Amino acid sequence: MKIGIVGFGPFAQFLAKTMIKQGHSITASSRSDYSEVCKHLGIASFYRDMAALFESDNDAILICTSILSLKQVVKSMPFHCLRRQTLFVDVLSVKEHPRDILLQVLPEDSDLLCTHPMFGPESGRDGWKDLAFMYDRVRIRDEALCSSFLQIFSSEGCRMLEMTCEEHDKQAARSQFITHTIGRILSEMEVESTPIDTRGFQKLVQVKETTSKHSFDLFSGLFIHNRFARQQMESLELAFEKTKQKLQERLKEEQDISMINHH
Ligand code: NAP
């Protein structure tokens, strides 16, 4: 396939490596200059100007910008430069937000596939086998093109999960958002490994380390553009208070007992 990538940050570069290995032809465009990175990866063209990417006759345009910048990036997309029907795909870690924005602005003849690879440069370092890949065929008419794209992931052994963007956002708020939030809290606490780490604690340190490698733009995007995340933040706070309260009640009981024994 000919794939044009918009937004060539860490996650886009990670995906591009496997796509190139599979023999796809990649071009890229981004706000910053990635011409050297592209040369290094064996990508023939890096365009500073999105119009040149849109004119370059792609089968698919893959949107890999940050969640927070999506609206602005999409607004500046020169759709009139498209030479033919193009499949638009996004990989943002929230799904209702890009679906809504893209459905508003995409040309009527462009298909839309909303996806979320549930892994990144860390977890997918040694291959993508058994890692989850979520997708929603939001507006697909060219079935062949859509399945060629999905094959990039299925052929690497990903667990292919088709679900609606809404269902994704509900589940991701309860899983990924909580993981990132706990990771950030542990990082605020400057939690570090000790010589007497338990297995459980080692896992917590790992959560802290992997989540803090992601940009703060990504983390805040998970909160701002997933309508189910606010609820989760509130239940986290509530659960913390309840847990603290249970301990304090128990502490009080113990203190009362020792007071009685003392007298
Ligand atoms: P990110 O911080 O979420 O996004 C970085 C990308 O956004 C870069 O391409 C950057 O362009 C672009 N960008 C940021 N602000 C911009 C602005 N104002 N105008 C234009 N472009 C802007 O980091 P990421 O980890 O590479 O993630 C990219 C996307 O993939 C995100 O939507 C994320 O949710 C999704 N995703 C990430 C992972 C992961 O493990 N990292 C996994 C699944 C999905 P420049 O670099 O050119 O400045």
Side-chain angles (χ1 to χ4, degrees):
M1 286 181 87
K2 284 191 71 179
I3 302 168
I5 302 182
V6 175
F8 207 58
F11 189 60
Q13 292 170 32
F14 162 74
L15 290 180
K17 283 180 201 149
T18 297
M19 291 174 178
I20 292 163
K21 180 198 83 182
Q22 292 179 348
H24 300 290
S25 159
I26 307 293
T27 52
S29 175
S30 209
R31 175 183 60 172
S32 315
D33 185 3
Y34 288 104
S35 359
E36 281 306 312
V37 176
C38 282
K39 228 184 264 169
H40 195 71
L41 290 173
I43 292 174
S45 316
F46 175 80
Y47 304 112
R48 286 312 290 278
D49 178 10
M50 231 196 294
L53 181 117
F54 273 53
E55 277 165 5
S56 69
D57 213 23
N58 291 294
D59 297 305
I61 296 211
L62 182 60
I63 303 171
C64 294
T65 53
S66 68
I67 299 166
L68 297 182
S69 67
L70 177 78
K71 204 168 186 175
Q72 186 194 337
V73 171
V74 165
K75 227 189 226 168
S76 63
M77 283 182 168
F79 295 111
H80 61 276
C81 294
L82 291 172
R83 295 274 172 81
R84 56 173 153 124
Q85 270 186 26
T86 312
L87 170 66
F88 279 78
V89 185
D90 87 282
V91 294
L92 273 61
S93 309
V94 295
K95 294 274 45 87
E96 289 192 312
H97 175 66
R99 176 199 63 192
D100 294 348
I101 288 188
L102 289 164
L103 280 178
Q104 275 171 29
V105 299
L106 286 187
E108 183 42 44
D109 66 352
S110 294
D111 283 1
L112 174 62
L113 176 68
C114 289
T115 80
H116 185 197
M118 306 303 302
F119 52 91
E122 286 290 318
S123 47
R125 194 175 23 200
D126 305 320
W128 301 355
K129 196 168 178 311
D130 298 328
L131 299 176
F133 179 87
M134 170 275 163
Y135 65 100
D136 185 358
R137 296 149 44 91
V138 173
R139 187 167 82 192
I140 301 297
R141 282 137 318 174
D142 191 336
E143 295 288 340
L145 188 57
C146 177
S147 43
S148 303
F149 186 86
L150 289 173
Q151 229 168 6
I152 294 172
F153 296 89
S154 59
S155 66
E156 294 293 319
C158 287
R159 268 191 304 121
M160 305 297 284
L161 297 168
E162 185 167 8
M163 67 176 74
T164 62
C165 292
E166 179 179 356
E167 191 51 38
H168 167 278
D169 284 3
K170 269 189 202 155
Q171 293 187 18
R174 300 179 67 92
S175 55
Q176 185 187 32
F177 173 67
I178 289 293
T179 313
H180 279 249
T181 304
I182 300 284
R184 295 273 167 179
I185 293 172
L186 294 173
S187 171
E188 285 293 338
M189 291 173 68
E190 297 178 32
V191 152
E192 295 292 348
S193 165
T194 72
I196 53 165
D197 282 3
T198 57
R199 280 282 166 83
F201 185 68
Q202 282 171 355
K203 283 180 190 157
L204 281 186
V205 172
Q206 208 186 338
V207 166
K208 181 206 104 176
E209 276 165 8
T210 32
T211 51
S212 47
K213 274 185 191 134
H214 290 106
S215 70
F216 192 73
D217 269 12
L218 195 155
F219 177 51
S220 41
L222 294 180
F223 180 65
I224 295 168
H225 292 294
N226 181 341
R227 64 189 165 111
F228 303 103
R230 245 151 279 179
Q231 230 166 281
Q232 288 304 309
M233 190 63 117
E234 273 160 32
S235 22
L236 185 67
E237 243 181 306
L238 206 69
F240 177 76
E241 280 309 320
K242 264 193 190 162
T243 310
K244 200 168 130 188
Q245 201 185 338
K246 276 186 194 162
L247 283 176
Q248 276 164 343
E249 277 166 17
R250 187 56 184 269
L251 174 65
K252 177 111 192 349
E253 277 168 33
E254 291 296 320
Q255 282 170 340
D256 290 349
I257 292 169
S258 71
M259 281 267 277
I260 292 163
N261 289 345
H262 197 69
H263 291 293

mmCIF file of all heavy atoms in Angstrom, residues 205-234:
data_model
loop_
_atom_site.group_PDB
_atom_site.id
_atom_site.type_symbol
_atom_site.label_atom_id
_atom_site.label_comp_id
_atom_site.label_asym_id
_atom_site.label_seq_id
_atom_site.Cartn_x
_atom_site.Cartn_y
_atom_site.Cartn_z
ATOM 1 N N VAL A 205 6.509 0.002 39.806
ATOM 2 C CA VAL A 205 7.622 0.824 39.303
ATOM 3 C C VAL A 205 7.615 0.794 37.769
ATOM 4 O O VAL A 205 7.825 1.807 37.105
ATOM 5 C CB VAL A 205 8.981 0.335 39.865
ATOM 6 C CG1 VAL A 205 10.150 1.060 39.205
ATOM 7 C CG2 VAL A 205 9.031 0.536 41.370
ATOM 8 N N GLN A 206 7.293 -0.383 37.224
ATOM 9 C CA GLN A 206 7.232 -0.518 35.769
ATOM 10 C C GLN A 206 6.115 0.358 35.192
ATOM 11 O O GLN A 206 6.312 1.022 34.181
ATOM 12 C CB GLN A 206 6.982 -1.977 35.434
ATOM 13 C CG GLN A 206 7.546 -2.381 34.098
ATOM 14 C CD GLN A 206 7.118 -3.817 33.780
ATOM 15 O OE1 GLN A 206 6.786 -4.598 34.681
ATOM 16 N NE2 GLN A 206 7.118 -4.143 32.507
ATOM 17 N N VAL A 207 4.965 0.374 35.854
ATOM 18 C CA VAL A 207 3.847 1.216 35.407
ATOM 19 C C VAL A 207 4.277 2.681 35.432
ATOM 20 O O VAL A 207 4.047 3.438 34.492
ATOM 21 C CB VAL A 207 2.593 1.005 36.299
ATOM 22 C CG1 VAL A 207 1.565 2.094 36.059
ATOM 23 C CG2 VAL A 207 1.969 -0.357 36.046
ATOM 24 N N LYS A 208 4.948 3.069 36.516
ATOM 25 C CA LYS A 208 5.430 4.454 36.628
ATOM 26 C C LYS A 208 6.365 4.774 35.464
ATOM 27 O O LYS A 208 6.241 5.806 34.814
ATOM 28 C CB LYS A 208 6.167 4.642 37.960
ATOM 29 C CG LYS A 208 6.683 6.039 38.180
ATOM 30 C CD LYS A 208 7.891 6.088 39.103
ATOM 31 C CE LYS A 208 9.175 6.317 38.330
ATOM 32 N NZ LYS A 208 10.351 6.469 39.186
ATOM 33 N N GLU A 209 7.302 3.848 35.194
ATOM 34 C CA GLU A 209 8.294 4.132 34.157
ATOM 35 C C GLU A 209 7.689 4.186 32.758
ATOM 36 O O GLU A 209 7.977 5.103 31.999
ATOM 37 C CB GLU A 209 9.436 3.123 34.233
ATOM 38 C CG GLU A 209 10.436 3.586 35.275
ATOM 39 C CD GLU A 209 11.419 2.527 35.721
ATOM 40 O OE1 GLU A 209 11.449 1.443 35.118
ATOM 41 O OE2 GLU A 209 12.145 2.803 36.704
ATOM 42 N N THR A 210 6.830 3.227 32.419
ATOM 43 C CA THR A 210 6.274 3.241 31.044
ATOM 44 C C THR A 210 5.326 4.424 30.835
ATOM 45 O O THR A 210 5.373 5.053 29.786
ATOM 46 C CB THR A 210 5.535 1.945 30.664
ATOM 47 O OG1 THR A 210 4.939 1.404 31.819
ATOM 48 C CG2 THR A 210 6.418 0.932 30.034
ATOM 49 N N THR A 211 4.507 4.721 31.836
ATOM 50 C CA THR A 211 3.554 5.822 31.603
ATOM 51 C C THR A 211 4.261 7.169 31.545
ATOM 52 O O THR A 211 3.850 8.036 30.794
ATOM 53 C CB THR A 211 2.430 5.854 32.659
ATOM 54 O OG1 THR A 211 3.005 5.820 33.953
ATOM 55 C CG2 THR A 211 1.482 4.704 32.513
ATOM 56 N N SER A 212 5.338 7.328 32.321
ATOM 57 C CA SER A 212 5.969 8.654 32.276
ATOM 58 C C SER A 212 6.806 8.851 31.018
ATOM 59 O O SER A 212 7.263 9.962 30.752
ATOM 60 C CB SER A 212 6.738 8.973 33.563
ATOM 61 O OG SER A 212 7.527 7.896 33.926
ATOM 62 N N LYS A 213 6.987 7.803 30.216
ATOM 63 C CA LYS A 213 7.676 7.970 28.924
ATOM 64 C C LYS A 213 6.756 8.625 27.897
ATOM 65 O O LYS A 213 7.225 9.189 26.911
ATOM 66 C CB LYS A 213 8.147 6.615 28.399
ATOM 67 C CG LYS A 213 9.504 6.253 28.953
ATOM 68 C CD LYS A 213 10.050 4.989 28.360
ATOM 69 C CE LYS A 213 11.273 4.553 29.154
ATOM 70 N NZ LYS A 213 11.280 3.136 29.491
ATOM 71 N N HIS A 214 5.438 8.517 28.098
ATOM 72 C CA HIS A 214 4.515 9.142 27.157
ATOM 73 C C HIS A 214 4.458 10.648 27.396
ATOM 74 O O HIS A 214 4.680 11.115 28.504
ATOM 75 C CB HIS A 214 3.109 8.562 27.330
ATOM 76 C CG HIS A 214 3.007 7.145 26.876
ATOM 77 N ND1 HIS A 214 2.920 6.090 27.739
ATOM 78 C CD2 HIS A 214 2.999 6.612 25.633
ATOM 79 C CE1 HIS A 214 2.853 4.966 27.061
ATOM 80 N NE2 HIS A 214 2.910 5.246 25.782
ATOM 81 N N SER A 215 4.129 11.402 26.338
ATOM 82 C CA SER A 215 4.070 12.857 26.489
ATOM 83 C C SER A 215 2.895 13.241 27.392
ATOM 84 O O SER A 215 1.917 12.508 27.509
ATOM 85 C CB SER A 215 3.908 13.512 25.117
ATOM 86 O OG SER A 215 2.611 13.248 24.601
ATOM 87 N N PHE A 216 3.030 14.422 28.022
ATOM 88 C CA PHE A 216 1.931 14.905 28.865
ATOM 89 C C PHE A 216 0.725 15.257 27.990
ATOM 90 O O PHE A 216 -0.417 15.165 28.425
ATOM 91 C CB PHE A 216 2.366 16.109 29.718
ATOM 92 C CG PHE A 216 1.358 16.439 30.784
ATOM 93 C CD1 PHE A 216 1.217 15.612 31.905
ATOM 94 C CD2 PHE A 216 0.515 17.530 30.656
ATOM 95 C CE1 PHE A 216 0.262 15.880 32.878
ATOM 96 C CE2 PHE A 216 -0.448 17.816 31.633
ATOM 97 C CZ PHE A 216 -0.576 16.992 32.745
ATOM 98 N N ASP A 217 1.002 15.618 26.729
ATOM 99 C CA ASP A 217 -0.091 15.860 25.756
ATOM 100 C C ASP A 217 -0.952 14.609 25.616
ATOM 101 O O ASP A 217 -2.182 14.689 25.569
ATOM 102 C CB ASP A 217 0.489 16.162 24.362
ATOM 103 C CG ASP A 217 0.694 17.652 24.158
ATOM 104 O OD1 ASP A 217 0.604 18.396 25.150
ATOM 105 O OD2 ASP A 217 0.951 18.051 23.003
ATOM 106 N N LEU A 218 -0.299 13.454 25.557
ATOM 107 C CA LEU A 218 -1.058 12.209 25.394
ATOM 108 C C LEU A 218 -1.921 11.962 26.627
ATOM 109 O O LEU A 218 -3.130 11.742 26.522
ATOM 110 C CB LEU A 218 -0.111 11.038 25.142
ATOM 111 C CG LEU A 218 -0.770 9.759 24.607
ATOM 112 C CD1 LEU A 218 0.234 8.920 23.828
ATOM 113 C CD2 LEU A 218 -1.375 8.899 25.687
ATOM 114 N N PHE A 219 -1.296 12.071 27.803
ATOM 115 C CA PHE A 219 -2.025 11.813 29.048
ATOM 116 C C PHE A 219 -3.206 12.780 29.195
ATOM 117 O O PHE A 219 -4.331 12.359 29.491
ATOM 118 C CB PHE A 219 -1.057 11.930 30.235
ATOM 119 C CG PHE A 219 -1.723 11.764 31.572
ATOM 120 C CD1 PHE A 219 -2.546 10.674 31.828
ATOM 121 C CD2 PHE A 219 -1.515 12.698 32.580
ATOM 122 C CE1 PHE A 219 -3.158 10.519 33.079
ATOM 123 C CE2 PHE A 219 -2.121 12.549 33.815
ATOM 124 C CZ PHE A 219 -2.947 11.463 34.062
ATOM 125 N N SER A 220 -2.956 14.070 28.951
ATOM 126 C CA SER A 220 -4.073 15.018 29.134
ATOM 127 C C SER A 220 -5.140 14.813 28.061
ATOM 128 O O SER A 220 -6.328 15.004 28.323
ATOM 129 C CB SER A 220 -3.594 16.462 29.202
ATOM 130 O OG SER A 220 -2.598 16.695 28.268
ATOM 131 N N GLY A 221 -4.743 14.373 26.881
ATOM 132 C CA GLY A 221 -5.718 14.060 25.834
ATOM 133 C C GLY A 221 -6.653 12.931 26.257
ATOM 134 O O GLY A 221 -7.853 12.971 25.985
ATOM 135 N N LEU A 222 -6.099 11.943 26.967
ATOM 136 C CA LEU A 222 -6.915 10.813 27.440
ATOM 137 C C LEU A 222 -8.016 11.302 28.374
ATOM 138 O O LEU A 222 -9.095 10.723 28.444
ATOM 139 C CB LEU A 222 -6.063 9.796 28.220
ATOM 140 C CG LEU A 222 -4.983 9.018 27.479
ATOM 141 C CD1 LEU A 222 -4.268 8.081 28.441
ATOM 142 C CD2 LEU A 222 -5.578 8.225 26.322
ATOM 143 N N PHE A 223 -7.722 12.380 29.104
ATOM 144 C CA PHE A 223 -8.684 12.922 30.065
ATOM 145 C C PHE A 223 -9.653 13.898 29.388
ATOM 146 O O PHE A 223 -10.869 13.779 29.531
ATOM 147 C CB PHE A 223 -7.925 13.630 31.192
ATOM 148 C CG PHE A 223 -8.824 14.234 32.231
ATOM 149 C CD1 PHE A 223 -9.618 13.433 33.037
ATOM 150 C CD2 PHE A 223 -8.879 15.610 32.403
ATOM 151 C CE1 PHE A 223 -10.456 13.979 34.003
ATOM 152 C CE2 PHE A 223 -9.712 16.167 33.365
ATOM 153 C CZ PHE A 223 -10.511 15.349 34.168
ATOM 154 N N ILE A 224 -9.106 14.803 28.616
ATOM 155 C CA ILE A 224 -9.930 15.884 28.059
ATOM 156 C C ILE A 224 -10.896 15.377 26.986
ATOM 157 O O ILE A 224 -12.036 15.815 26.924
ATOM 158 C CB ILE A 224 -9.020 17.012 27.510
ATOM 159 C CG1 ILE A 224 -8.249 17.647 28.673
ATOM 160 C CG2 ILE A 224 -9.816 18.076 26.743
ATOM 161 C CD1 ILE A 224 -7.113 18.555 28.260
ATOM 162 N N HIS A 225 -10.441 14.457 26.154
ATOM 163 C CA HIS A 225 -11.268 14.040 25.022
ATOM 164 C C HIS A 225 -11.882 12.642 25.136
ATOM 165 O O HIS A 225 -12.230 12.043 24.127
ATOM 166 C CB HIS A 225 -10.497 14.201 23.711
ATOM 167 C CG HIS A 225 -10.239 15.641 23.380
ATOM 168 N ND1 HIS A 225 -11.247 16.530 23.069
ATOM 169 C CD2 HIS A 225 -9.092 16.361 23.356
ATOM 170 C CE1 HIS A 225 -10.725 17.722 22.853
ATOM 171 N NE2 HIS A 225 -9.418 17.653 23.021
ATOM 172 N N ASN A 226 -11.961 12.143 26.361
ATOM 173 C CA ASN A 226 -12.734 10.915 26.576
ATOM 174 C C ASN A 226 -13.785 11.251 27.636
ATOM 175 O O ASN A 226 -13.449 11.466 28.804
ATOM 176 C CB ASN A 226 -11.836 9.766 27.047
ATOM 177 C CG ASN A 226 -12.610 8.457 27.247
ATOM 178 O OD1 ASN A 226 -13.837 8.469 27.376
ATOM 179 N ND2 ASN A 226 -11.901 7.349 27.277
ATOM 180 N N ARG A 227 -15.045 11.305 27.227
ATOM 181 C CA ARG A 227 -16.076 11.778 28.164
ATOM 182 C C ARG A 227 -16.265 10.841 29.354
ATOM 183 O O ARG A 227 -16.886 11.217 30.338
ATOM 184 C CB ARG A 227 -17.398 12.007 27.427
ATOM 185 C CG ARG A 227 -18.031 10.769 26.834
ATOM 186 C CD ARG A 227 -19.200 11.135 25.948
ATOM 187 N NE ARG A 227 -19.588 10.016 25.121
ATOM 188 C CZ ARG A 227 -20.727 9.348 25.266
ATOM 189 N NH1 ARG A 227 -21.566 9.679 26.222
ATOM 190 N NH2 ARG A 227 -21.011 8.359 24.443
ATOM 191 N N PHE A 228 -15.738 9.607 29.274
ATOM 192 C CA PHE A 228 -15.891 8.674 30.396
ATOM 193 C C PHE A 228 -14.753 8.794 31.421
ATOM 194 O O PHE A 228 -14.815 8.193 32.490
ATOM 195 C CB PHE A 228 -15.959 7.235 29.876
ATOM 196 C CG PHE A 228 -17.075 7.031 28.882
ATOM 197 C CD1 PHE A 228 -16.804 6.957 27.513
ATOM 198 C CD2 PHE A 228 -18.396 6.971 29.305
ATOM 199 C CE1 PHE A 228 -17.837 6.797 26.595
ATOM 200 C CE2 PHE A 228 -19.428 6.806 28.390
ATOM 201 C CZ PHE A 228 -19.154 6.732 27.028
ATOM 202 N N ALA A 229 -13.703 9.567 31.069
ATOM 203 C CA ALA A 229 -12.536 9.641 31.960
ATOM 204 C C ALA A 229 -12.833 10.427 33.238
ATOM 205 O O ALA A 229 -12.323 10.082 34.307
ATOM 206 C CB ALA A 229 -11.351 10.243 31.226
ATOM 207 N N ARG A 230 -13.650 11.462 33.142
ATOM 208 C CA ARG A 230 -13.948 12.299 34.305
ATOM 209 C C ARG A 230 -14.557 11.462 35.429
ATOM 210 O O ARG A 230 -14.183 11.570 36.583
ATOM 211 C CB ARG A 230 -14.938 13.396 33.904
ATOM 212 C CG ARG A 230 -14.315 14.772 34.005
ATOM 213 C CD ARG A 230 -14.926 15.725 33.021
ATOM 214 N NE ARG A 230 -14.311 15.527 31.701
ATOM 215 C CZ ARG A 230 -14.657 16.206 30.621
ATOM 216 N NH1 ARG A 230 -15.629 17.087 30.687
ATOM 217 N NH2 ARG A 230 -14.038 16.002 29.471
ATOM 218 N N GLN A 231 -15.504 10.613 35.030
ATOM 219 C CA GLN A 231 -16.157 9.697 35.955
ATOM 220 C C GLN A 231 -15.124 8.821 36.678
ATOM 221 O O GLN A 231 -15.212 8.602 37.867
ATOM 222 C CB GLN A 231 -17.007 8.767 35.112
ATOM 223 C CG GLN A 231 -18.433 8.555 35.495
ATOM 224 C CD GLN A 231 -19.098 7.869 34.290
ATOM 225 O OE1 GLN A 231 -19.437 8.514 33.290
ATOM 226 N NE2 GLN A 231 -19.200 6.557 34.368
ATOM 227 N N GLN A 232 -14.156 8.332 35.908
ATOM 228 C CA GLN A 232 -13.144 7.446 36.475
ATOM 229 C C GLN A 232 -12.258 8.184 37.466
ATOM 230 O O GLN A 232 -11.866 7.643 38.489
ATOM 231 C CB GLN A 232 -12.282 6.837 35.360
ATOM 232 C CG GLN A 232 -13.006 5.808 34.536
ATOM 233 C CD GLN A 232 -13.560 4.686 35.384
ATOM 234 O OE1 GLN A 232 -12.848 4.095 36.197
ATOM 235 N NE2 GLN A 232 -14.835 4.388 35.235
ATOM 236 N N MET A 233 -11.941 9.441 37.137
ATOM 237 C CA MET A 233 -11.121 10.262 38.031
ATOM 238 C C MET A 233 -11.861 10.434 39.352
ATOM 239 O O MET A 233 -11.264 10.339 40.424
ATOM 240 C CB MET A 233 -10.874 11.610 37.362
ATOM 241 C CG MET A 233 -9.864 12.465 38.048
ATOM 242 S SD MET A 233 -8.253 11.682 38.030
ATOM 243 C CE MET A 233 -7.341 12.849 37.079
ATOM 244 N N GLU A 234 -13.181 10.662 39.268
ATOM 245 C CA GLU A 234 -13.971 10.830 40.485
ATOM 246 C C GLU A 234 -14.033 9.534 41.283
ATOM 247 O O GLU A 234 -13.882 9.556 42.510
ATOM 248 C CB GLU A 234 -15.385 11.323 40.151
ATOM 249 C CG GLU A 234 -15.420 12.833 40.073
ATOM 250 C CD GLU A 234 -16.599 13.363 39.294
ATOM 251 O OE1 GLU A 234 -17.667 12.724 39.324
ATOM 252 O OE2 GLU A 234 -16.445 14.422 38.662
#
